[in-house]
Amino acid sequence: MRITAVFFLTVFFFSLFNVPSVRAQTASDSSTITVNPVDLLGGEVQQLKDEYARNLSIYRNDERLYIIAKGQYKQLPTLASLEEVVQSTRTVMLSRGAVLLTHLHLLRVSLQNTPGIDLNVKALQLKKIDAAIAALTLHISHVQSAQDKPAIAVMSAEFASIEPQFEGLATETLSLITYGNIQAVFDKTLTVKDEVQKAVFAEETDAIALSAKKRGLDEIDRNLNDVGSVLKGVQTNETASLNSQRSSQGSQNIGSDLNTVFAGLSRTLSLLQEEVTNK
């Protein structure tokens, strides 16, 4: 049976969150196909990942120097050591801001490139990310202007007031990206299932074997219906979570449902592959 899509989809499914370019051998020959369903590791995103790694390394070093300066001030509270604490605090605030800002940009580009998400939902989430980027950019500019201990203290309080929104935003965005990727796999699975079914009826001539394959296809249909029902629930809950004040808890519940969908799709792909390879 010459079905190539099911082999590609299986590879795509299990490599979805690791590599953007998938190479799969066809069932009939040794040629390969290269597909880029979601370019999550190339181009702009890879640049942002590299930038994030650099900024994180700088932040960790600045944090180490800040801890040293703070310890020295406690041991010897001179004006010079106080100035060192103030400047090291300002420096670590700036490097922390750079890390978070890069992270937000990375989330934005990843979300923008993720398939399977309702365009209105995606636009709403991108708007929230843009608002967070603007708030963080403003905070960074304030820190750059802070030069003494009172001003640094104000900046510390300012960050504490905006920090919670970053964590919640990251949680719900990552949940949405996961949902979109799994929805894309589900949609492709439906297409592949139809191709497998057509091939079964076109190529199988033995009545007993055809009856067995029909039973297999019925099982695949039941599995896809179950997965589809859960996925529809996830979509509804995802939208509700994004519009509520309980995004973190909602995203945790959605994550549990997505695990169920992932397991269901994994089983479906195994069944499809069995349907294709069994004679």
Coordinates of all heavy atoms in Angstrom, one line a residue, residues 66 69-70 72-73 76-91 146-150 152:
Y66 N 26.0 41.2 42.3 CA 25.1 41.9 43.2 C 25.1 41.3 44.6 O 25.2 42.0 45.6 CB 23.7 41.9 42.7 CG 22.6 42.2 43.7 CD1 22.4 43.5 44.2 CD2 21.8 41.2 44.2 CE1 21.4 43.7 45.2 CE2 20.8 41.4 45.1 CZ 20.7 42.7 45.6 OH 19.7 42.9 46.6
A69 N 28.4 42.2 46.3 CA 28.3 43.6 46.7 C 27.5 43.8 48.0 O 27.8 44.6 48.9 CB 27.9 44.5 45.6
K70 N 26.3 43.1 48.0 CA 25.4 43.2 49.1 C 26.1 42.7 50.4 O 25.9 43.2 51.5 CB 24.1 42.5 48.8 CG 23.0 42.7 49.8 CD 21.7 42.0 49.4 CE 20.6 42.2 50.4 NZ 19.4 41.5 49.9
Q72 N 29.3 42.5 51.0 CA 30.4 43.4 51.4 C 29.9 44.6 52.1 O 30.5 45.0 53.1 CB 31.2 43.8 50.2 CG 32.0 42.7 49.6 CD 32.8 43.1 48.3 OE1 32.4 44.0 47.7 NE2 33.8 42.3 47.9
Y73 N 28.7 45.1 51.7 CA 28.1 46.2 52.4 C 27.7 45.9 53.8 O 27.8 46.7 54.7 CB 26.9 46.8 51.6 CG 26.2 47.9 52.2 CD1 26.8 49.2 52.3 CD2 25.0 47.8 52.8 CE1 26.2 50.2 53.0 CE2 24.3 48.8 53.4 CZ 24.9 50.0 53.5 OH 24.3 51.1 54.2
L76 N 30.9 45.8 55.7 CA 31.6 47.1 55.9 C 30.7 48.2 55.2 O 30.9 48.5 54.0 CB 33.0 47.0 55.2 CG 33.9 48.3 55.4 CD1 34.2 48.4 56.9 CD2 35.1 48.1 54.6
P77 N 29.7 48.7 56.0 CA 28.8 49.7 55.4 C 29.4 51.1 55.2 O 29.0 52.0 55.9 CB 27.7 49.7 56.5 CG 28.4 49.4 57.8 CD 29.5 48.4 57.4
T78 N 30.2 51.2 54.2 CA 30.8 52.5 53.9 C 30.0 53.1 52.7 O 29.2 52.4 52.1 CB 32.3 52.3 53.5 OG1 32.3 51.5 52.3 CG2 33.1 51.6 54.6
L79 N 30.3 54.4 52.4 CA 29.7 55.0 51.3 C 30.1 54.3 50.0 O 29.2 54.2 49.1 CB 30.0 56.5 51.3 CG 29.5 57.4 52.4 CD1 30.0 58.8 52.3 CD2 27.9 57.4 52.3
A80 N 31.3 53.9 49.9 CA 31.8 53.3 48.7 C 31.1 51.9 48.5 O 30.7 51.6 47.3 CB 33.3 53.0 48.8
S81 N 30.9 51.2 49.6 CA 30.3 49.9 49.4 C 28.8 50.1 49.1 O 28.1 49.3 48.4 CB 30.5 49.0 50.7 OG 29.9 49.6 51.8
L82 N 28.2 51.1 49.7 CA 26.8 51.4 49.4 C 26.6 51.8 48.0 O 25.6 51.3 47.3 CB 26.3 52.6 50.3 CG 24.9 53.2 50.0 CD1 23.9 52.1 50.2 CD2 24.6 54.4 50.8
E83 N 27.5 52.6 47.4 CA 27.4 52.9 46.0 C 27.6 51.7 45.1 O 26.9 51.6 44.1 CB 28.5 53.9 45.7 CG 28.6 54.4 44.2 CD 27.3 55.1 43.8 OE1 26.6 55.6 44.7 OE2 27.0 55.2 42.5
E84 N 28.4 50.8 45.5 CA 28.6 49.5 44.8 C 27.3 48.7 44.8 O 26.9 48.1 43.8 CB 29.7 48.7 45.4 CG 30.1 47.5 44.6 CD 30.7 47.8 43.3 OE1 31.2 48.8 43.1 OE2 30.5 46.9 42.4
V85 N 26.6 48.7 45.9 CA 25.3 48.0 46.0 C 24.3 48.6 45.1 O 23.6 47.9 44.4 CB 24.8 47.9 47.4 CG1 23.4 47.4 47.5 CG2 25.7 47.1 48.3
V86 N 24.2 49.9 45.1 CA 23.2 50.7 44.3 C 23.5 50.4 42.8 O 22.6 50.1 42.1 CB 23.3 52.2 44.6 CG1 22.5 53.0 43.5 CG2 22.8 52.5 46.0
Q87 N 24.7 50.5 42.4 CA 25.0 50.3 41.0 C 24.9 48.8 40.5 O 24.4 48.6 39.4 CB 26.5 50.8 40.7 CG 26.7 52.3 40.9 CD 25.7 53.1 40.0 OE1 25.4 52.7 38.9 NE2 25.2 54.2 40.6
S88 N 25.2 47.9 41.4 CA 25.1 46.5 41.1 C 23.6 46.1 41.0 O 23.2 45.3 40.2 CB 25.8 45.6 42.0 OG 25.3 45.7 43.4
T89 N 22.8 46.7 41.9 CA 21.3 46.5 41.9 C 20.7 47.0 40.6 O 19.9 46.3 40.0 CB 20.7 47.2 43.1 OG1 21.2 46.7 44.3 CG2 19.2 46.9 43.1
R90 N 21.1 48.2 40.2 CA 20.6 48.8 39.0 C 21.0 47.9 37.8 O 20.2 47.7 36.9 CB 21.2 50.2 38.8 CG 20.8 50.9 37.5 CD 21.4 52.3 37.5 NE 21.1 53.0 36.3 CZ 21.9 52.9 35.2 NH1 23.0 52.2 35.2 NH2 21.6 53.6 34.1
T91 N 22.3 47.4 37.8 CA 22.8 46.6 36.7 C 22.0 45.3 36.6 O 21.6 44.9 35.5 CB 24.3 46.3 36.9 OG1 25.0 47.5 36.9 CG2 24.8 45.4 35.8
A146 N 17.3 55.7 37.0 CA 17.5 55.6 38.5 C 19.0 55.6 38.8 O 19.7 54.7 38.3 CB 16.8 54.4 39.0
Q147 N 19.4 56.5 39.7 CA 20.9 56.6 40.0 C 21.2 56.5 41.4 O 22.4 56.4 41.8 CB 21.4 57.9 39.4 CG 21.3 58.1 37.9 CD 22.1 57.1 37.1 OE1 23.2 56.6 37.6 NE2 21.7 56.7 35.9
D148 N 20.2 56.6 42.3 CA 20.5 56.5 43.7 C 19.6 55.5 44.4 O 18.7 54.9 43.8 CB 20.3 57.9 44.4 CG 18.9 58.5 44.1 OD1 17.9 57.7 44.0 OD2 18.8 59.8 44.1
K149 N 19.8 55.3 45.7 CA 19.2 54.2 46.5 C 17.6 54.4 46.5 O 16.9 53.5 46.3 CB 19.7 54.2 47.9 CG 19.2 53.0 48.7 CD 19.8 53.0 50.1 CE 19.3 51.8 50.9 NZ 19.9 51.7 52.3
P150 N 17.1 55.6 46.8 CA 15.7 55.8 46.8 C 15.0 55.5 45.4 O 14.0 54.9 45.4 CB 15.5 57.3 47.2 CG 16.7 57.6 47.9 CD 17.8 56.9 47.3
I152 N 16.2 53.5 43.1 CA 16.3 52.1 42.9 C 15.2 51.4 43.7 O 14.6 50.4 43.2 CB 17.7 51.5 43.3 CG1 18.7 52.1 42.4 CG2 17.7 50.0 43.3 CD1 18.6 51.6 40.9

